[in-house]
Amino acid sequence: MERSNFIKTIIKNDLENGKHDTIITRYPPEPNGYIHIGHAMGFINQYYLAKDFGGYTNLRFDDTNPVAEDTEYVEGIIEDFKWLGLKWKNLLFASDYFEEMYNRAILLIKKGKAYVCDLSIDEIREYRGDITTPGKNSPYRNRSVEENLDLFERMKNGELKEGEKVLRAKIDMASPNMNLRDPLLYRILYAHHHRTGDKWCIYPMYDYAHSIEDAIEGITHSVCSLEFENHRPLYDWVVAECEMENVPRQIEYGRFNLTNTVMSKRLLRRLVEESKVLGWDDPRMPTIVGLRRRGFTPEAITNFVLDLGLSKKGGVTDYAMFEQYLRQDLKLKAPRPMAVINPLKVVITNYPEGKTEYVSGEWNQEAEEFGSREIPFSREIYIEREDFLEEKPNKKWKRLSIGLEVRLRHAYFIKCEEVIKDNDGNILELRCTYDKETKSGSGFDKRKPNGTIHWVDSSAIPAEFRLYDALILDGDGDFAERINPDSLKIVNGLVESSLSEIKHFDKFQFIRNGFFSVDPDTNLEEGKYVFNRIVPLKSTFKR
RNA sequence: AGGGCUAUGGCCAAGCGGUUAAGGCACUGGACUUUGACUCCAGGAUCGAUGGUUCGAAUCCAUCUAGCCCUGCCA
């Protein structure tokens, strides 16, 4: 709890002043789609806000619009939040309170604070006025309490058609805050609700429902994003006029965005529907299912969100910051085997044919508990094509070139003697010699190699590597025109044979290549190995 | 009669009248290195602008500028 933010300050004060003894927050997703990292940020913050102060959080589905919502989504959302390691005291639904909301609406009517309005949707819009001109009172605004009660009853009983009438709060048609111009409280909807079925045909609107939900649950701090700031007066109005016992305080924070991606359900849906990505769980998607498949861990996401902080300013955070949290998380957790993504064959001419020896390599030199494995080494090996240039381009070049000697990690120094090319000049293979004296671990220090490169031998397993890049390119303007056509590259390479028994979602740091996660497309029986690159390693290498 | 909100180095973000204005990411040097990784060291802002209050202001006041949100029977 070292890092402070304005909401923590508020909570701390409320605790010190004795306004509250326990802090209760809530996260209220609408079950109408998949959640993304922006939602995760919301819940993670609410969760730790309460937890850090000894309180708790409720997960409450805001299911007041049956037209858009579905049980399928609530299950998906729960699964995603569980995977993130989030915990909630109560799993609730706005629909749990429909009865209570209905009763409070009647109270409002009796107090003369709400009325049934017959205006059509277009008329309501017209009467509302606009930003600079005050609205006009609805001609139905002054109906008697008895008439309102009767009409509202008939709305509830299904005696009216959709759109025929609505229940409205009686506040102020001239308010500069549009939300206070007699906002709608209930509308008629003959839609099947995923939980209440056909029991109701009137459904409460967000502003009315949300306030009551929070109050019923005794939420102390109702945290939401900035766009609800203008709704706060209405939120407070509902809580007060409905005479709710608990008075929650709504606090708004700025949402965060990440560079090189999009964070809106609408846009994400478009990517899926227009087949710009393979689905909601495409590893390029910022959805939780996407990030998970890509290989991001709950710890990396949580630490990132917590360190990001919270403010009223929102903003766009560098994707690089997010990547760094993944590297930090996996640094000591992932074994570090060798994989060659773009193989170039190397024949070690002075190594005996048919011979295979085993060299020892620790799985992770920064985490000894991983131990080590024996890596087969033989006459034919493969190195990364990018690790060879015929001529050393500059003094900084720390890889292989003709006449140069490099260390094969965990094995021997090899020296490039000859390049074999086809008729078009493409490099087919390299002929090298090795020096038996230089074996790793032998303590050989007579010469310094030109660098250390990774390799695999001919027992390596063919594998598919999926390399991801920014989904959305930098720039302004329509995001559709900034979709990166090269956000996914699929290449075929090799991984060392010790990875034969991997499981889906296993994570590795392939030496010098980056962090990878085993994709669920992997099928060992079929010999199909698929690795997603989560993030590359940082590099100061410049050509 | 429009209202609400925001403004601290490239990006997040602490700071709440007296600090050499935290920290992370990014970037640039350098050390180390069997990953050009990791780790370690070094490097940058006077706080949107302008006035004012004060012995003293990023922190208080005024004005201005820029950006975001609000006119769904969505949430």
Side-chain angles (χ1 to χ4, degrees), chain A residues 18 22 83 111 137 139 154 206 212 279 303 312 317 330 338-339 393 397 437 495:
Chain A
T22 313
W83 176 75
K111 291 168 70 175
N137 282 168
R154 289 168 55 185
Y206 167 83
I212 292 181
N303 293 338
K312 291 207 70 157
T317 300
L330 255 28
M338 296 191 286
W397 179 253
E437 302 297 307
V495 295

Side-chain angles (χ1 to χ4, degrees), chain A residues 492-534:
Chain A
N492 293 300
L494 301 161
V495 295
E496 62 175 72
S497 52
S498 54
L499 296 195
S500 59
E501 298 300 313
I502 52 176
K503 301 190 302 294
H504 292 172
F505 297 106
D506 278 352
K507 315 266 189 288
F508 300 99
Q509 179 194 144
F510 288 141
I511 290 292
R512 301 211 303 140
N513 270 320
F515 290 94
F516 289 73
S517 180
V518 179
D519 189 86
D521 283 348
T522 295
N523 184 322
L524 269 39
E525 279 77 56
E526 295 175 8
K528 187 174 165 96
Y529 288 74
V530 181
F531 296 91
N532 292 316
R533 184 172 67 193
I534 315 169

Side-chain angles (χ1 to χ4, degrees), chain A residues 17-70:
Chain A
N17 301 337
K19 182 178 178 189
H20 299 295
D21 299 322
T22 313
I23 300 304
I24 308 173
T25 60
R26 105 265 93 116
Y27 189 72
E30 184 187 13
N32 69 345
Y34 288 83
I35 55 166
H36 53 65
I37 186 168
H39 299 107
M41 181 216 193
F43 199 163
I44 289 170
N45 276 127
Q46 318 265 0
Y47 173 65
Y48 284 97
L49 237 22
K51 184 170 183 269
D52 287 352
F53 290 99
Y56 65 85
T57 306
N58 288 338
L59 172 57
R60 181 182 66 227
F61 286 94
D62 233 338
D63 54 354
T64 56
N65 182 7
V67 178
E69 298 144 6
D70 198 278

Side-chain angles (χ1 to χ4, degrees), chain A residues 178-301:
Chain A
M178 303 297 284
N179 295 120
L180 263 23
R181 318 248 263 225
D182 287 10
L184 276 60
L185 265 23
Y186 270 94
R187 76 283 214 189
I188 297 170
L189 242 34
Y190 289 98
H192 188 82
H193 187 280
H194 74 113
R195 297 199 92 224
T196 60
D198 299 315
K199 180 175 178 194
W200 298 88
C201 62
I202 53 171
Y203 290 92
M205 299 288 288
Y206 167 83
D207 289 298
Y208 176 69
H210 207 87
S211 320
I212 292 181
E213 294 155 25
D214 284 346
I216 291 173
E217 291 172 25
I219 302 303
T220 55
H221 303 269
S222 178
V223 180
C224 61
S225 46
L226 242 33
E227 65 263 35
F228 292 103
E229 232 162 358
N230 294 330
H231 295 243
R232 193 179 344 118
L234 177 53
Y235 181 98
D236 293 338
W237 184 93
V238 171
V239 172
E241 295 298 346
C242 288
E243 299 173 18
M244 303 304 291
E245 206 177 313
N246 299 306
V247 180
R249 173 172 175 184
Q250 176 179 303
I251 303 171
E252 312 83 15
Y253 68 90
R255 276 185 209 248
F256 93 115
N257 292 291
L258 273 179
T259 58
N260 306 303
T261 186
V262 282
M263 212 95 92
S264 97
K265 274 184 195 170
R266 203 189 98 246
L267 265 23
L268 292 175
R269 173 166 284 115
R270 210 171 123 191
L271 287 171
V272 173
E273 286 171 356
E274 293 176 8
S275 299
K276 304 294 187 191
V277 295
L278 275 20
W280 288 96
D281 71 339
D282 186 298
R284 290 167 290 184
M285 292 283 273
T287 51
I288 298 305
V289 282
L291 293 171
R292 179 183 184 183
R293 182 160 181 183
R294 173 81 163 255
F296 279 92
T297 61
E299 293 82 0
I301 294 171

